[in-house]
Amino acid sequence: AQSVTQLGSHVSVSEGALVLLRCNYSSSVPPYLFWYVQYPNQGLQLLLKYTTGATLVKGINGFEAEFKKSETSFHLTKPSAHMSDAAEYFCAVKAAGNKLTFGGGTRVLVKP
Amino acid sequence: KAGVTQTPRYLIKTRGQQVTLSCSPISGHRSVSWYQQTPGQGLQFLFEYFSETQRNKGNFPGRFSGRQFSNSRSEMNVSTLELGDSALYLCASSPSASGEPTDTQYFGPGTRLTVL
């Protein structure tokens, strides 16, 4: 079975500051990892995913994440926060099949 | 390409009633999955359909059911509604026939169900 833990249900950052959202996973098989973003009253939008190959993955809107097997982590970063980054972010894992297992989510507040 | 569409967007029902939610996947996508999102339990997988067959199922009671039609459109049904069924129900589609874990799932805007 697989599970995902997102450290911090709420994160507050200043506009222009680094955004760092933490995700740790547990999986009995090599995992496939995803980050999704959810804006108010909307569905989930894929930011990026790790399947195989390069461990540093670049996504949309300037986000990137690094897969670290030794730390079972897949943290999401963005060098400079923008007001439009205010949203809820979900880390998810798939081990087999098409079932996503999600973390609890991290809500990001961006202060001007 | 049009995205995943879900209807209706909002729904209010009373306890004991039943409800049917609809999902139209992205054109050409044959896999449709359903998720429930609540403040307390977060995002939880309900089931996945491919070629009109349920391919995977989450840990929900039998009151939750679904089906898929030959055009890949999917419906989910909840019978004998309970207050705890109030949630955002999200549908996602993916293009792969094999259901590989590398597949990306594309989500619709959801249907917000309120049970009174």
Side-chain angles (χ1 to χ4, degrees):
Chain A
Q2 52 274 359
S3 65
V4 177
T5 302
Q6 291 184 239
L7 187 62
S9 59
H10 291 79
V11 166
S12 181
V13 299
S14 297
E15 193 174 17
L18 172 72
V19 179
L20 170 60
L21 305 182
R22 300 180 187 275
C23 171
N24 288 89
Y25 68 90
S26 171
S27 177
S28 56
V29 296
Y32 300 93
L33 297 157
F34 302 77
W35 274 100
Y36 282 88
V37 61
Q38 185 176 36
Y39 298 100
N41 299 315
Q42 294 187 28
L44 303 175
Q45 180 183 9
L46 180 71
L47 282 174
L48 50 81
K49 69 178 182 180
Y50 169 78
T51 54
T52 58
T55 56
L56 182 62
V57 182
K58 294 188 184 299
I60 62 170
N61 301 340
F63 285 94
E64 64 181 36
E66 186 170 12
F67 170 63
K68 292 188 177 180
K69 184 178 178 181
S70 61
E71 298 177 8
T72 60
S73 69
F74 190 55
H75 302 329
L76 181 71
T77 60
K78 181 174 180 177
S80 176
H82 190 270
M83 297 299 292
S84 61
D85 295 326
E88 191 160 18
Y89 294 78
F90 293 93
C91 182
V93 64
K94 274 202 269 185
N98 222 0
K99 171 188 170 183
L100 282 163
T101 299
F102 287 92
T106 299
R107 192 172 297 276
V108 173
L109 171 67
V110 182
K111 299 176 292 184
Chain B
K1 260 187 189 178
V4 177
T5 58
Q6 293 186 245
T7 56
R9 291 292 311 277
Y10 301 91
L11 206 49
I12 299 175
K13 292 286 188 179
T14 56
R15 277 181 300 174
Q17 286 186 310
Q18 75 162 14
V19 67
T20 299
L21 311 181
S22 181
C23 171
S24 292
I26 292 171
S27 177
H29 287 196
R30 296 168 62 192
S31 164
V32 174
S33 299
W34 289 89
Y35 293 82
Q36 181 196 63
Q37 185 177 22
T38 60
Q41 300 299 316
L43 281 152
Q44 294 184 288
F45 173 79
L46 281 155
F47 28 65
E48 180 201 9
Y49 285 87
F50 178 79
S51 288
E52 302 177 63
T53 301
Q54 189 179 88
R55 184 157 69 176
N56 208 343
K57 188 178 188 305
N59 296 323
F60 279 82
R63 299 186 297 107
F64 291 82
S65 63
R67 60 177 176 168
Q68 187 180 35
F69 302 94
S70 58
N71 62 358
S72 295
R73 191 177 69 85
S74 176
E75 290 181 346
M76 68 162 281
N77 185 77
V78 187
S79 63
T80 319
L81 284 166
E82 300 177 0
L83 295 179
D85 297 333
S86 294
L88 181 67
Y89 290 89
L90 293 163
C91 168
S93 74
S94 62
S96 171
S98 62
E100 292 295 325
T102 52
D103 292 345
T104 295
Q105 289 183 278
Y106 298 87
F107 285 80
T111 293
R112 184 163 298 281
L113 172 65
T114 301
V115 182
L116 302 176

